[in-house]
Amino acid sequence: CNGISTLDEKQLTDSSYQGEELVNLARDNKAALTVGFVERFNPIIINIKENLQKQIFGDPLLIEFQRENRWAGVTKDIGVILDSSVHDIDGARWLFNEEPNIVFARTGNVLNPKATGFVGTDYEDFATIILGFKNGKTAIIIANWITPYKVRKISVTCTDGIFIGVHEDVAAIPTIHGLLSIIRYIDGPV
């Protein structure tokens, strides 16, 4: 560290033990150490976070993330969870402002390079992750490298409305920072 602050790309280390060593090293050298969770700086996510803090739609109950696209063949040393889902796991923790107390995941690999006719990765290429938080709050994360077109979407269901964010590179309507729909229940749920 030598007193130099560091912004590290995910994943920070291969184990929690190594992570603790790095944290201690940074602390001993009075240096900042952080992992680049870039989605916290995404304008759509920032907008949702600000509106959740204002509680304009009441309390958040359910966050759904979709991050789907055909595997481009670039990432070969990790699977879809460490490449993509880690950002949505962090996003759920950040938007709910707490840590999950339940984690469930189903993963698989259909683009396995050992399978006849497929070129892919040895790691998981699809995953569905469910994170459970206090008071029944839930995050569902769907990620894959199988879908033949790009899907990047977040929806946050609250007690009195829903936020829906579609990232700009897949939005049907051209926008500067993506599309954020805000839907409020007028007389309660329909």
Side-chain angles (χ1 to χ4, degrees):
C1 264
N2 292 329
I4 299 171
S5 295
T6 305
L7 171 65
D8 191 14
E9 175 58 58
K10 63 175 179 5
Q11 75 204 43
L12 184 59
T13 64
D14 289 329
S15 72
S16 60
Y17 175 76
Q18 290 173 333
E20 288 176 25
E21 283 184 326
L22 280 180
V23 168
N24 292 333
L25 186 61
R27 185 178 315 130
D28 293 347
N29 286 280
K30 296 178 178 46
L33 173 67
T34 189
V35 177
F37 286 118
V38 297
E39 287 299 304
R40 291 186 184 199
F41 303 96
N42 179 321
I44 291 173
I45 303 300
I46 290 170
N47 190 320
I48 290 172
K49 176 76 170 182
E50 289 170 353
N51 283 297
L52 288 175
Q53 289 171 332
K54 294 175 191 172
Q55 287 201 310
I56 65 168
F57 289 164
D59 295 320
L61 303 171
L62 175 65
I63 303 174
E64 298 171 90
F65 296 91
Q66 280 183 269
R67 194 182 291 251
E68 304 175 58
N69 197 25
R70 178 66 75 184
W71 184 64
V74 177
T75 306
K76 297 180 181 176
D77 58 340
I78 57 175
V80 72
I81 293 174
L82 286 179
D83 183 53
S84 301
S85 298
V86 66
H87 293 289
D88 298 330
I89 293 167
D90 177 67
R93 294 169 53 242
W94 191 60
L95 291 172
F96 278 140
N97 201 33
E98 64 184 83
E99 297 298 322
N101 53 23
I102 297 171
V103 177
F104 175 81
R106 289 292 303 239
T107 68
N109 179 300
V110 297
L111 302 177
N112 188 318
K114 297 175 182 109
T116 305
F118 286 106
V119 176
T121 172
D122 288 326
Y123 299 93
E124 80 283 345
D125 49 36
F126 69 91
T128 300
I129 302 166
I130 300 174
L131 304 175
F133 296 83
K134 289 187 295 190
N135 300 319
K137 292 182 284 190
T138 305
I140 301 171
I141 299 164
I142 298 170
N144 75 62
W145 290 334
I146 301 163
T147 303
Y149 53 88
K150 191 169 190 173
V151 178
R152 280 283 305 284
K153 181 179 171 184
I154 178 175
S155 65
V156 181
T157 304
C158 301
T159 53
D160 297 315
I162 186 170
F163 299 99
I164 300 171
V166 178
H167 293 265
E168 67 185 27
D169 49 350
V170 293
I173 302 168
T175 61
I176 295 172
H177 294 297
L179 177 67
L180 177 63
S181 301
I182 300 175
I183 302 166
R184 178 185 285 279
Y185 296 129
I186 304 299
D187 296 313
V190 177

